[in-house]
Coordinates of all heavy atoms in Angstrom, one line a residue:
L280 N 2.9 -12.5 7.5 CA 4.3 -12.2 7.4 C 5.0 -13.1 6.3 O 4.7 -14.3 6.3 CB 5.0 -12.4 8.7 CG 6.4 -11.8 8.9 CD1 6.4 -10.3 8.7 CD2 6.9 -12.1 10.3
T281 N 5.8 -12.5 5.4 CA 6.4 -13.3 4.4 C 7.8 -12.8 4.1 O 8.1 -11.6 4.5 CB 5.6 -13.2 3.1 OG1 6.2 -14.0 2.1 CG2 5.5 -11.8 2.5
V282 N 8.6 -13.6 3.6 CA 9.9 -13.2 3.1 C 10.0 -13.5 1.6 O 9.3 -14.4 1.1 CB 11.1 -14.0 3.8 CG1 11.1 -13.6 5.3 CG2 11.0 -15.5 3.6
D283 N 10.9 -12.8 0.9 CA 11.1 -13.0 -0.5 C 11.7 -14.4 -0.7 O 12.4 -14.9 0.2 CB 12.1 -12.0 -1.1 CG 11.5 -10.6 -1.1 OD1 10.3 -10.5 -0.9 OD2 12.2 -9.7 -1.4
P284 N 11.4 -15.1 -1.8 CA 12.1 -16.4 -2.1 C 13.6 -16.3 -1.9 O 14.2 -15.4 -2.4 CB 11.7 -16.6 -3.5 CG 10.4 -15.9 -3.8 CD 10.6 -14.6 -2.9
G285 N 14.1 -17.2 -1.2 CA 15.6 -17.2 -0.9 C 15.9 -16.5 0.4 O 17.0 -16.5 0.9
G286 N 15.0 -15.7 0.9 CA 15.2 -14.9 2.1 C 14.9 -15.7 3.4 O 15.2 -15.2 4.5
Q287 N 14.4 -16.9 3.3 CA 14.1 -17.7 4.5 C 15.3 -18.5 5.0 O 16.2 -18.8 4.2 CB 13.0 -18.7 4.2 CG 13.3 -19.8 3.3 CD 13.1 -19.5 1.8 OE1 13.3 -18.3 1.4 NE2 12.9 -20.5 1.0
D288 N 15.4 -18.7 6.3 CA 16.4 -19.6 6.8 C 15.8 -20.9 7.2 O 14.6 -21.1 7.0 CB 17.2 -19.0 8.0 CG 16.3 -18.7 9.2 OD1 15.2 -19.3 9.3 OD2 16.7 -17.9 10.0
K289 N 16.5 -21.9 7.7 CA 16.0 -23.2 8.0 C 14.9 -23.2 9.1 O 14.2 -24.1 9.2 CB 17.2 -24.2 8.4 CG 17.9 -23.8 9.7 CD 19.0 -24.8 9.9 CE 20.0 -24.6 11.0 NZ 19.7 -24.0 12.2
N290 N 14.9 -22.2 9.9 CA 13.9 -22.1 11.0 C 12.6 -21.3 10.6 O 11.7 -21.2 11.3 CB 14.5 -21.5 12.2 CG 15.6 -22.3 12.8 OD1 15.5 -23.5 12.8 ND2 16.7 -21.6 13.2
W291 N 12.6 -20.8 9.3 CA 11.4 -20.0 8.9 C 10.2 -20.9 8.7 O 10.3 -21.9 8.0 CB 11.8 -19.2 7.6 CG 10.7 -18.4 7.1 CD1 9.9 -18.6 6.0 CD2 10.2 -17.2 7.7 NE1 8.9 -17.6 5.9 CE2 9.1 -16.8 6.9 CE3 10.5 -16.5 8.8 CZ2 8.4 -15.6 7.2 CZ3 9.8 -15.3 9.1 CH2 8.8 -14.9 8.3
T292 N 9.1 -20.5 9.3 CA 7.9 -21.3 9.1 C 6.8 -20.5 8.5 O 5.6 -20.9 8.4 CB 7.4 -21.8 10.5 OG1 7.2 -20.7 11.4 CG2 8.4 -22.8 11.1
G293 N 7.1 -19.2 8.2 CA 6.0 -18.3 7.6 C 6.0 -18.5 6.1 O 6.5 -19.4 5.5
W294 N 5.3 -17.5 5.5 CA 5.1 -17.5 4.0 C 6.4 -17.2 3.3 O 7.2 -16.5 3.9 CB 4.0 -16.5 3.6 CG 2.6 -16.9 4.1 CD1 2.1 -16.6 5.3 CD2 1.7 -17.5 3.3 NE1 0.8 -17.1 5.3 CE2 0.5 -17.7 4.1 CE3 1.6 -18.0 2.0 CZ2 -0.7 -18.3 3.6 CZ3 0.5 -18.6 1.5 CH2 -0.7 -18.7 2.3
V295 N 6.5 -17.7 2.1 CA 7.6 -17.3 1.2 C 7.0 -16.8 -0.1 O 6.2 -17.6 -0.7 CB 8.6 -18.5 1.0 CG1 9.7 -18.1 0.0 CG2 9.2 -19.0 2.3
G296 N 7.3 -15.6 -0.5 CA 6.8 -15.1 -1.7 C 6.5 -13.7 -1.6 O 6.6 -13.1 -0.6
F297 N 6.3 -13.1 -2.8 CA 6.0 -11.6 -2.8 C 4.5 -11.4 -2.3 O 3.7 -12.3 -2.5 CB 6.2 -11.1 -4.2 CG 7.6 -11.2 -4.6 CD1 8.0 -12.1 -5.6 CD2 8.6 -10.5 -4.0 CE1 9.3 -12.2 -6.0 CE2 10.0 -10.6 -4.4 CZ 10.3 -11.5 -5.4
I298 N 4.3 -10.2 -1.8 CA 3.0 -9.9 -1.2 C 1.8 -10.2 -2.1 O 0.9 -10.8 -1.6 CB 3.0 -8.4 -0.7 CG1 4.0 -8.3 0.5 CG2 1.6 -8.0 -0.3 CD1 3.6 -9.1 1.7
P299 N 1.9 -9.8 -3.3 CA 0.7 -10.1 -4.2 C 0.4 -11.6 -4.2 O -0.8 -12.0 -4.2 CB 1.0 -9.5 -5.5 CG 2.0 -8.4 -5.2 CD 2.8 -9.0 -4.1
E300 N 1.4 -12.4 -4.4 CA 1.2 -13.9 -4.4 C 0.6 -14.4 -3.1 O -0.3 -15.2 -3.1 CB 2.5 -14.6 -4.7 CG 3.2 -14.2 -6.0 CD 4.7 -14.7 -5.9 OE1 5.1 -15.6 -5.2 OE2 5.5 -14.1 -6.7
V301 N 1.2 -13.9 -2.0 CA 0.7 -14.4 -0.7 C -0.7 -14.0 -0.5 O -1.5 -14.8 0.0 CB 1.7 -13.9 0.4 CG1 1.1 -14.2 1.8 CG2 3.0 -14.5 0.3
L302 N -1.0 -12.7 -0.8 CA -2.4 -12.3 -0.6 C -3.4 -13.0 -1.5 O -4.5 -13.3 -1.1 CB -2.5 -10.8 -0.9 CG -1.9 -9.8 0.1 CD1 -1.9 -8.4 -0.4 CD2 -2.6 -9.9 1.4
T303 N -3.0 -13.4 -2.7 CA -3.8 -14.2 -3.6 C -4.1 -15.5 -3.0 O -5.2 -16.0 -3.0 CB -3.2 -14.3 -5.0 OG1 -3.0 -13.0 -5.5 CG2 -4.0 -15.2 -5.9
Q304 N -3.1 -16.2 -2.4 CA -3.3 -17.5 -1.7 C -4.1 -17.4 -0.4 O -4.9 -18.2 -0.1 CB -2.0 -18.1 -1.5 CG -1.2 -18.5 -2.8 CD 0.2 -19.1 -2.4 OE1 0.3 -19.9 -1.5 NE2 1.1 -18.7 -3.2
L305 N -3.7 -16.4 0.3 CA -4.3 -16.2 1.7 C -5.8 -15.8 1.6 O -6.6 -16.1 2.5 CB -3.5 -15.2 2.5 CG -3.7 -15.0 3.9 CD1 -3.4 -16.4 4.6 CD2 -2.7 -14.0 4.5
K306 N -6.1 -15.0 0.6 CA -7.5 -14.4 0.5 C -8.0 -13.9 1.8 O -9.0 -14.4 2.4 CB -8.5 -15.5 0.0 CG -8.2 -16.0 -1.4 CD -9.2 -17.0 -1.9 CE -9.0 -17.5 -3.3 NZ -7.7 -17.7 -3.8
P307 N -7.4 -12.8 2.3 CA -7.9 -12.2 3.6 C -9.3 -11.7 3.5 O -9.8 -11.2 2.5 CB -6.9 -11.0 3.8 CG -6.4 -10.7 2.5 CD -6.4 -12.0 1.7
S308 N -10.1 -11.9 4.6 CA -11.5 -11.5 4.6 C -11.6 -10.0 4.9 O -10.9 -9.5 5.8 CB -12.2 -12.2 5.7 OG -13.5 -11.6 5.9
P309 N -12.4 -9.3 4.1 CA -12.6 -7.9 4.4 C -13.6 -7.6 5.5 O -13.8 -6.4 5.9 CB -13.2 -7.4 3.0 CG -13.9 -8.5 2.5 CD -13.1 -9.8 2.9
E310 N -14.2 -8.6 6.1 CA -15.2 -8.5 7.1 C -14.5 -7.8 8.3 O -13.6 -8.3 8.9 CB -15.7 -9.9 7.5 CG -16.8 -9.8 8.6 CD -18.1 -9.6 7.9 OE1 -18.3 -9.9 6.7 OE2 -19.0 -9.1 8.7
N311 N -15.0 -6.6 8.7 CA -14.5 -5.9 9.8 C -13.0 -5.7 9.8 O -12.3 -5.8 10.8 CB -14.9 -6.5 11.2 CG -16.3 -6.5 11.4 OD1 -17.0 -5.5 11.1 ND2 -16.9 -7.6 11.9
A312 N -12.4 -5.5 8.6 CA -11.0 -5.4 8.5 C -10.6 -4.2 7.7 O -11.3 -3.6 6.9 CB -10.5 -6.7 7.8
V313 N -9.3 -3.8 7.9 CA -8.7 -2.7 7.1 C -7.3 -3.3 6.7 O -6.7 -3.9 7.5 CB -8.5 -1.4 7.9 CG1 -7.7 -0.4 7.1 CG2 -9.9 -0.8 8.3
S314 N -6.9 -3.0 5.5 CA -5.6 -3.5 5.0 C -4.7 -2.2 4.9 O -5.2 -1.2 4.5 CB -5.7 -4.1 3.6 OG -4.5 -4.5 3.2
I315 N -3.5 -2.4 5.3 CA -2.5 -1.3 5.2 C -1.4 -1.7 4.3 O -0.7 -2.7 4.6 CB -2.0 -0.9 6.7 CG1 -3.2 -0.6 7.5 CG2 -1.0 0.2 6.6 CD1 -2.9 -0.5 9.0
L316 N -1.1 -0.9 3.3 CA 0.0 -1.1 2.4 C 1.1 0.0 2.5 O 0.8 1.2 2.6 CB -0.5 -1.1 0.9 CG -1.4 -2.2 0.5 CD1 -2.0 -1.9 -0.9 CD2 -0.6 -3.5 0.5
C317 N 2.3 -0.5 2.6 CA 3.4 0.5 2.6 C 4.5 -0.2 1.8 O 4.6 -1.4 1.7 CB 3.9 0.9 4.0 SG 4.5 -0.4 5.0
G318 N 5.4 0.6 1.3 CA 6.5 0.0 0.5 C 6.7 0.6 -0.8 O 6.2 1.7 -1.1
P319 N 7.5 0.0 -1.7 CA 7.7 0.6 -3.0 C 6.4 0.7 -3.8 O 5.5 -0.1 -3.6 CB 8.7 -0.4 -3.7 CG 9.1 -1.4 -2.6 CD 8.2 -1.3 -1.5
P320 N 6.3 1.7 -4.7 CA 5.1 1.9 -5.5 C 4.7 0.6 -6.2 O 3.5 0.4 -6.3 CB 5.5 3.0 -6.5 CG 6.5 3.8 -5.7 CD 7.3 2.8 -4.9
A321 N 5.6 -0.1 -6.7 CA 5.2 -1.4 -7.5 C 4.5 -2.4 -6.5 O 3.5 -3.0 -6.9 CB 6.4 -2.0 -8.1
M322 N 5.0 -2.5 -5.3 CA 4.4 -3.4 -4.4 C 3.0 -2.9 -4.0 O 2.1 -3.7 -3.9 CB 5.3 -3.6 -3.1 CG 4.8 -4.8 -2.3 SD 5.5 -4.8 -0.7 CE 4.5 -3.6 0.1
I323 N 2.9 -1.6 -3.8 CA 1.5 -1.1 -3.5 C 0.6 -1.4 -4.7 O -0.5 -1.8 -4.5 CB 1.6 0.4 -3.1 CG1 2.4 0.6 -1.8 CG2 0.2 1.0 -3.1 CD1 2.7 2.0 -1.4
K324 N 1.0 -1.0 -5.9 CA 0.2 -1.2 -7.1 C -0.3 -2.7 -7.2 O -1.4 -2.9 -7.4 CB 1.0 -0.8 -8.3 CG 0.3 -1.0 -9.6 CD 1.1 -0.5 -10.8 CE 0.4 -0.8 -12.1 NZ 1.3 -0.4 -13.2
F325 N 0.7 -3.6 -7.1 CA 0.3 -5.0 -7.3 C -0.4 -5.6 -6.1 O -1.0 -6.6 -6.2 CB 1.5 -5.8 -7.8 CG 2.0 -5.4 -9.1 CD1 3.1 -4.7 -9.3 CD2 1.2 -5.7 -10.2 CE1 3.5 -4.3 -10.6 CE2 1.5 -5.4 -11.5 CZ 2.7 -4.6 -11.7
G326 N -0.2 -5.0 -4.9 CA -0.9 -5.5 -3.7 C -2.3 -5.1 -3.7 O -3.2 -5.8 -3.1
L327 N -2.7 -4.1 -4.4 CA -4.1 -3.7 -4.5 C -4.9 -4.7 -5.3 O -6.1 -4.9 -5.0 CB -4.2 -2.3 -5.3 CG -3.7 -1.1 -4.5 CD1 -3.6 0.1 -5.4 CD2 -4.6 -0.8 -3.3
V328 N -4.3 -5.4 -6.2 CA -5.1 -6.3 -7.1 C -5.7 -7.4 -6.2 O -7.0 -7.6 -6.3 CB -4.2 -6.8 -8.2 CG1 -5.0 -7.9 -9.0 CG2 -3.8 -5.7 -9.1
P329 N -4.9 -8.2 -5.4 CA -5.5 -9.3 -4.7 C -6.4 -8.8 -3.5 O -7.4 -9.4 -3.2 CB -4.4 -10.1 -4.1 CG -3.2 -9.1 -4.2 CD -3.5 -8.2 -5.3
L330 N -6.2 -7.6 -3.0 CA -7.0 -7.1 -1.9 C -8.4 -6.7 -2.5 O -9.4 -7.1 -1.9 CB -6.4 -5.8 -1.3 CG -5.2 -6.1 -0.4 CD1 -4.6 -4.8 0.1 CD2 -5.6 -6.9 0.8
S331 N -8.4 -6.0 -3.7 CA -9.7 -5.8 -4.3 C -10.4 -7.1 -4.7 O -11.6 -7.2 -4.5 CB -9.5 -4.9 -5.6 OG -8.9 -3.6 -5.2
G332 N -9.6 -8.0 -5.2 CA -10.2 -9.3 -5.5 C -10.8 -10.1 -4.3 O -11.7 -10.9 -4.5
S333 N -10.2 -9.8 -3.1 CA -10.8 -10.5 -1.9 C -12.0 -9.7 -1.4 O -12.6 -10.1 -0.4 CB -9.7 -10.5 -0.8 OG -8.7 -11.4 -1.2
G334 N -12.4 -8.6 -2.0 CA -13.6 -7.9 -1.6 C -13.3 -6.7 -0.8 O -14.3 -6.1 -0.2
F335 N -12.1 -6.3 -0.6 CA -11.8 -5.1 0.2 C -12.3 -3.9 -0.6 O -11.9 -3.7 -1.8 CB -10.3 -4.9 0.5 CG -9.8 -5.7 1.7 CD1 -9.6 -7.1 1.5 CD2 -9.7 -5.1 2.9 CE1 -9.1 -7.8 2.6 CE2 -9.3 -5.8 4.0 CZ -9.0 -7.2 3.9
A336 N -13.1 -3.0 0.0 CA -13.6 -1.8 -0.6 C -12.4 -0.8 -0.6 O -11.5 -0.9 0.3 CB -14.8 -1.3 0.1
A337 N -12.5 0.2 -1.4 CA -11.4 1.2 -1.5 C -11.2 1.9 -0.2 O -10.1 2.3 0.2 CB -11.7 2.2 -2.6
H338 N -12.3 2.1 0.6 CA -12.1 2.8 1.9 C -11.5 1.9 2.9 O -11.1 2.4 4.0 CB -13.5 3.4 2.4 CG -14.4 2.4 2.8 ND1 -15.3 1.7 1.9 CD2 -14.7 1.8 4.0 CE1 -16.1 0.9 2.6 NE2 -15.7 0.9 3.9
Q339 N -11.4 0.6 2.7 CA -10.8 -0.4 3.6 C -9.3 -0.6 3.3 O -8.7 -1.4 4.0 CB -11.5 -1.7 3.5 CG -12.9 -1.7 4.1 CD -13.5 -3.1 3.9 OE1 -13.9 -3.4 2.8 NE2 -13.6 -3.8 5.0
I340 N -8.8 0.1 2.3 CA -7.4 -0.1 2.0 C -6.6 1.2 2.3 O -6.9 2.2 1.6 CB -7.2 -0.5 0.5 CG1 -7.9 -1.8 0.2 CG2 -5.7 -0.7 0.2 CD1 -8.0 -2.2 -1.2
M341 N -5.7 1.2 3.2 CA -5.0 2.4 3.6 C -3.5 2.3 3.0 O -2.9 1.2 3.0 CB -4.9 2.6 5.1 CG -6.3 2.6 5.7 SD -7.4 3.8 5.1 CE -6.7 5.3 5.7
I342 N -3.0 3.4 2.4 CA -1.7 3.3 1.8 C -0.9 4.4 2.3 O -1.3 5.6 2.5 CB -1.9 3.6 0.2 CG1 -2.8 2.5 -0.3 CG2 -0.6 3.6 -0.5 CD1 -3.3 2.7 -1.7
S343 N 0.4 4.0 2.7 CA 1.3 5.0 3.2 C 2.2 5.5 2.1 O 2.8 4.8 1.4 CB 2.2 4.3 4.3 OG 3.2 5.2 4.7
L344 N 2.3 6.8 2.1 CA 3.1 7.5 1.1 C 4.3 8.3 1.7 O 4.7 9.3 1.1 CB 2.3 8.4 0.2 CG 1.2 7.7 -0.7 CD1 0.4 8.7 -1.5 CD2 1.8 6.6 -1.6
E345 N 4.7 7.9 2.9 CA 5.7 8.8 3.6 C 7.0 8.9 2.9 O 7.8 9.8 3.1 CB 5.9 8.3 5.0 CG 6.8 7.1 5.1 CD 6.0 5.8 5.1 OE1 4.8 5.8 5.0 OE2 6.7 4.7 5.2
K346 N 7.3 8.0 1.9 CA 8.5 8.1 1.2 C 8.7 9.4 0.4 O 9.8 9.8 0.1 CB 8.6 6.9 0.2 CG 9.8 6.7 -0.5 CD 9.7 5.4 -1.4 CE 10.9 5.4 -2.3 NZ 10.9 4.2 -3.1
K347 N 7.6 10.0 0.1 CA 7.6 11.2 -0.7 C 7.9 12.5 0.1 O 8.0 13.5 -0.5 CB 6.3 11.4 -1.5 CG 6.1 10.3 -2.5 CD 4.9 10.6 -3.3 CE 4.8 9.7 -4.5 NZ 5.7 10.1 -5.6
I348 N 8.0 12.4 1.4 CA 8.2 13.6 2.2 C 9.6 14.0 2.3 O 10.5 13.2 2.4 CB 7.6 13.3 3.7 CG1 6.1 13.1 3.6 CG2 8.0 14.5 4.6 CD1 5.5 12.7 4.9
K349 N 9.9 15.3 2.1 CA 11.2 15.9 2.3 C 11.2 16.8 3.4 O 11.8 16.5 4.5 CB 11.7 16.5 1.0 CG 13.1 16.9 1.0 CD 13.6 17.4 -0.3 CE 15.0 17.8 -0.3 NZ 15.5 18.3 -1.5
C350 N 10.7 18.1 3.3 CA 10.7 19.0 4.4 C 9.8 18.7 5.5 O 10.0 19.0 6.6 CB 10.5 20.4 3.8 SG 8.7 20.8 3.5
G351 N 8.6 18.2 5.1 CA 7.7 17.7 6.1 C 6.8 18.9 6.7 O 6.0 18.6 7.6
V352 N 7.0 20.1 6.2 CA 6.2 21.2 6.8 C 5.5 22.0 5.7 O 5.2 23.2 5.9 CB 7.1 22.1 7.6 CG1 7.6 21.4 8.9 CG2 8.3 22.6 6.8
G353 N 5.3 21.5 4.6 CA 4.5 22.1 3.5 C 5.2 23.2 2.8 O 4.6 24.1 2.2
K354 N 6.5 23.2 2.7 CA 7.3 24.3 2.1 C 7.9 24.0 0.8 O 8.1 24.8 -0.1 CB 8.4 24.9 3.1 CG 7.8 25.5 4.3 CD 7.0 26.7 4.1 CE 6.5 27.3 5.3 NZ 5.5 28.3 5.1
C355 N 8.4 22.7 0.6 CA 9.2 22.4 -0.6 C 8.4 21.9 -1.8 O 8.9 22.0 -2.9 CB 10.3 21.4 -0.2 SG 9.7 19.7 0.1
G356 N 7.3 21.4 -1.6 CA 6.5 20.9 -2.7 C 6.9 19.6 -3.2 O 6.4 19.1 -4.2
R357 N 7.9 18.9 -2.5 CA 8.4 17.6 -3.0 C 7.4 16.5 -2.8 O 7.4 15.5 -3.5 CB 9.6 17.3 -2.1 CG 10.2 15.9 -2.2 CD 10.8 15.6 -3.5 NE 11.5 14.3 -3.5 CZ 10.9 13.2 -3.7 NH1 9.6 13.1 -3.8 NH2 11.6 12.0 -3.7
C358 N 6.4 16.7 -1.9 CA 5.5 15.6 -1.6 C 4.2 15.6 -2.3 O 3.3 14.8 -2.0 CB 5.2 15.6 -0.1 SG 4.2 17.1 0.4
N359 N 4.0 16.5 -3.3 CA 2.8 16.6 -4.0 C 2.5 15.3 -4.7 O 3.3 14.7 -5.4 CB 2.8 17.7 -5.0 CG 2.7 19.1 -4.4 OD1 3.2 19.2 -3.3 ND2 2.1 20.0 -5.0
V360 N 1.3 14.8 -4.5 CA 0.7 13.7 -5.3 C -0.6 14.2 -5.8 O -1.6 14.2 -5.1 CB 0.5 12.4 -4.4 CG1 -0.1 11.3 -5.2 CG2 1.8 12.0 -3.8
G361 N -0.6 14.7 -7.0 CA -1.8 15.4 -7.5 C -2.1 16.6 -6.7 O -1.2 17.4 -6.4
R362 N -3.3 16.7 -6.3 CA -3.7 17.9 -5.4 C -3.4 17.6 -3.9 O -3.6 18.5 -3.1 CB -5.2 18.1 -5.6 CG -6.0 16.9 -5.2 CD -7.5 17.2 -5.4 NE -8.3 16.0 -5.3 CZ -8.5 15.2 -4.2 NH1 -7.9 15.6 -3.1 NH2 -9.2 14.1 -4.3
L363 N -2.9 16.5 -3.6 CA -2.6 16.1 -2.2 C -1.2 16.5 -1.8 O -0.3 16.3 -2.6 CB -2.8 14.6 -2.0 CG -4.2 14.1 -2.3 CD1 -4.2 12.6 -2.2 CD2 -5.3 14.7 -1.3
H364 N -1.0 17.0 -0.6 CA 0.3 17.2 0.0 C 0.5 16.1 1.1 O -0.2 16.1 2.1 CB 0.4 18.5 0.7 CG 0.6 19.6 -0.3 ND1 -0.4 20.3 -0.9 CD2 1.7 20.2 -0.8 CE1 0.0 21.2 -1.7 NE2 1.3 21.2 -1.7
V365 N 1.4 15.2 0.8 CA 1.6 14.0 1.7 C 1.9 14.5 3.1 O 1.4 13.9 4.1 CB 2.6 13.0 1.1 CG1 2.9 11.9 2.1 CG2 2.2 12.5 -0.3
C366 N 2.8 15.5 3.2 CA 3.3 15.9 4.5 C 2.2 16.5 5.4 O 2.2 16.4 6.6 CB 4.5 16.8 4.5 SG 4.2 18.4 3.8
E367 N 1.2 17.2 4.7 CA 0.2 17.9 5.5 C -1.1 17.1 5.6 O -1.8 17.2 6.6 CB -0.1 19.2 4.9 CG 1.1 20.2 4.9 CD 0.8 21.5 4.3 OE1 0.3 21.5 3.2 OE2 1.2 22.5 4.9
Q368 N -1.4 16.3 4.5 CA -2.7 15.6 4.5 C -2.5 14.1 4.8 O -3.5 13.4 5.0 CB -3.4 15.8 3.2 CG -3.7 17.3 2.9 CD -4.1 17.6 1.5 OE1 -3.2 17.7 0.6 NE2 -5.4 17.7 1.2
G369 N -1.3 13.6 4.7 CA -1.1 12.2 4.9 C -0.2 12.0 6.1 O -0.2 12.8 7.1
P370 N 0.7 11.1 6.1 CA 1.1 10.3 5.0 C 0.2 9.1 4.6 O 0.5 8.4 3.7 CB 2.5 9.8 5.3 CG 2.5 9.7 6.8 CD 1.6 10.8 7.3
I371 N -0.8 8.9 5.4 CA -1.7 7.7 5.2 C -2.9 8.2 4.4 O -3.6 9.1 4.9 CB -2.1 7.0 6.5 CG1 -0.9 6.7 7.3 CG2 -2.9 5.8 6.2 CD1 0.1 5.7 6.7
F372 N -3.2 7.5 3.3 CA -4.4 7.9 2.5 C -5.2 6.6 2.3 O -4.6 5.5 2.2 CB -4.0 8.5 1.2 CG -3.3 9.8 1.3 CD1 -1.9 9.8 1.3 CD2 -3.9 11.0 1.4 CE1 -1.2 11.0 1.4 CE2 -3.3 12.2 1.5 CZ -1.9 12.2 1.5
S373 N -6.5 6.7 2.1 CA -7.2 5.6 1.7 C -7.1 5.4 0.2 O -6.8 6.4 -0.6 CB -8.7 5.7 2.0 OG -9.3 6.7 1.2
Y374 N -7.3 4.2 -0.3 CA -7.3 3.9 -1.7 C -8.4 4.7 -2.4 O -8.2 5.2 -3.5 CB -7.4 2.4 -2.0 CG -7.4 2.0 -3.4 CD1 -6.5 2.6 -4.3 CD2 -8.2 1.1 -3.9 CE1 -6.5 2.3 -5.7 CE2 -8.2 0.7 -5.2 CZ -7.4 1.3 -6.1 OH -7.4 0.9 -7.4
E375 N -9.4 4.9 -1.7 CA -10.6 5.7 -2.2 C -10.1 7.1 -2.6 O -10.5 7.7 -3.6 CB -11.6 5.8 -1.1 CG -13.0 6.3 -1.6 CD -14.0 6.1 -0.5 OE1 -13.7 6.2 0.7 OE2 -15.2 5.9 -0.9
Q376 N -9.2 7.7 -1.7 CA -8.7 9.1 -2.0 C -7.7 9.0 -3.2 O -7.8 9.9 -4.1 CB -7.9 9.6 -0.8 CG -8.7 10.0 0.4 CD -7.8 10.3 1.5 OE1 -7.2 9.5 2.1 NE2 -7.8 11.6 1.9
L377 N -6.9 8.0 -3.3 CA -5.8 8.0 -4.3 C -6.3 7.6 -5.6 O -5.7 8.0 -6.6 CB -4.6 7.1 -3.8 CG -3.9 7.5 -2.5 CD1 -2.9 6.5 -2.1 CD2 -3.4 8.9 -2.7
R378 N -7.3 6.7 -5.7 CA -7.7 6.3 -7.0 C -8.4 7.3 -7.8 O -8.6 7.2 -9.0 CB -8.6 5.0 -6.9 CG -10.0 5.3 -6.4 CD -10.7 4.0 -6.4 NE -12.1 4.3 -5.9 CZ -13.0 3.4 -5.8 NH1 -12.7 2.1 -6.1 NH2 -14.2 3.7 -5.3
E379 N -8.7 8.4 -7.2 CA -9.3 9.6 -7.9 C -8.3 10.4 -8.7 O -8.6 11.2 -9.5 CB -10.1 10.5 -7.0 CG -11.3 9.8 -6.3 CD -11.9 10.7 -5.3 OE1 -11.5 11.8 -5.0 OE2 -12.9 10.2 -4.7
L380 N -7.0 10.1 -8.4 CA -5.9 10.9 -9.0 C -5.6 10.3 -10.4 O -5.8 9.1 -10.6 CB -4.6 10.8 -8.1 CG -4.7 11.4 -6.7 CD1 -3.5 11.1 -6.0 CD2 -5.0 12.9 -6.8
P381 N -5.0 11.1 -11.3 CA -4.7 10.6 -12.6 C -3.6 9.5 -12.4 O -2.9 9.4 -11.4 CB -4.0 11.8 -13.3 CG -4.5 13.0 -12.5 CD -4.8 12.5 -11.1
D382 N -3.6 8.6 -13.4 CA -2.7 7.4 -13.4 C -1.2 7.7 -13.1 O -0.5 6.9 -12.6 CB -2.8 6.6 -14.7 CG -4.1 5.8 -14.7 OD1 -4.8 5.7 -13.7 OD2 -4.5 5.4 -15.8
E383 N -0.8 8.9 -13.6 CA 0.7 9.2 -13.5 C 1.1 9.4 -12.0 O 2.3 9.4 -11.7 CB 1.1 10.5 -14.3 CG 0.4 11.7 -13.8 CD -0.9 12.0 -14.7 OE1 -1.5 11.1 -15.2 OE2 -1.2 13.2 -14.8
Y384 N 0.1 9.5 -11.1 CA 0.5 9.5 -9.7 C 0.4 8.2 -9.0 O 0.7 7.9 -8.0 CB -0.4 10.5 -8.9 CG -0.3 11.9 -9.4 CD1 -1.3 12.5 -10.1 CD2 0.9 12.6 -9.2 CE1 -1.1 13.8 -10.6 CE2 1.1 13.9 -9.7 CZ 0.0 14.5 -10.4 OH 0.2 15.7 -10.9
Ligands
FES470 S1 7.5 17.5 2.1 FE1 7.9 19.6 1.6 S2 5.9 20.3 1.1 FE2 5.6 18.3 1.8

């Protein structure tokens, strides 16, 4: 658990910093573990770097894309990420699934 710099109060004893920095310092073990990323696309993108660096395989990293859902029933097309429909096939995908998509997604 971490807070952004300046977001801590005098009683805070947890990490301070952005997720990629904290993950780089923490070096979580991929042994019998799964990592779950959710949040803004930039945080997900930069969070993947230290997780991959710590040895997490693509199938051990799960990413939530629920932010892209609008109708939620497969009718509006708002949730398309490449060939995937987030509302019907997600909203949780493995990095293994998403890294096969073109970079623009
Ligand atoms: S949110 Fe409308 S099709 Fe998926």
Side-chain angles (χ1 to χ4, degrees):
L280 194 58
T281 183
V282 296
D283 291 351
Q287 70 274 29
D288 64 19
K289 63 179 172 37
N290 297 320
W291 179 252
T292 58
W294 290 85
V295 176
F297 297 110
I298 290 297
E300 300 165 20
V301 172
L302 288 173
T303 299
Q304 293 176 40
L305 194 59
K306 294 183 177 41
S308 169
E310 183 85 23
N311 294 320
V313 173
S314 177
I315 301 169
L316 290 172
C317 63
M322 194 195 77
I323 291 172
K324 177 180 176 182
F325 291 109
L327 288 169
V328 175
L330 288 173
S331 296
S333 290
F335 278 81
H338 71 273
Q339 292 177 283
I340 303 172
M341 306 306 288
I342 299 168
S343 174
L344 298 180
E345 78 270 1
K346 184 176 173 183
K347 292 185 170 286
I348 295 174
K349 188 173 182 183
C350 76
V352 292
K354 297 294 182 193
C355 73
R357 168 71 171 81
C358 69
N359 289 31
V360 177
R362 60 181 165 68
L363 302 172
H364 284 86
V365 176
C366 71
E367 295 178 315
Q368 297 167 282
I371 308 297
F372 297 92
S373 71
Y374 180 42
E375 192 170 34
Q376 291 173 291
L377 297 179
R378 75 178 181 178
E379 295 174 2
L380 299 174
D382 285 345
E383 61 265 26
Y384 297 111

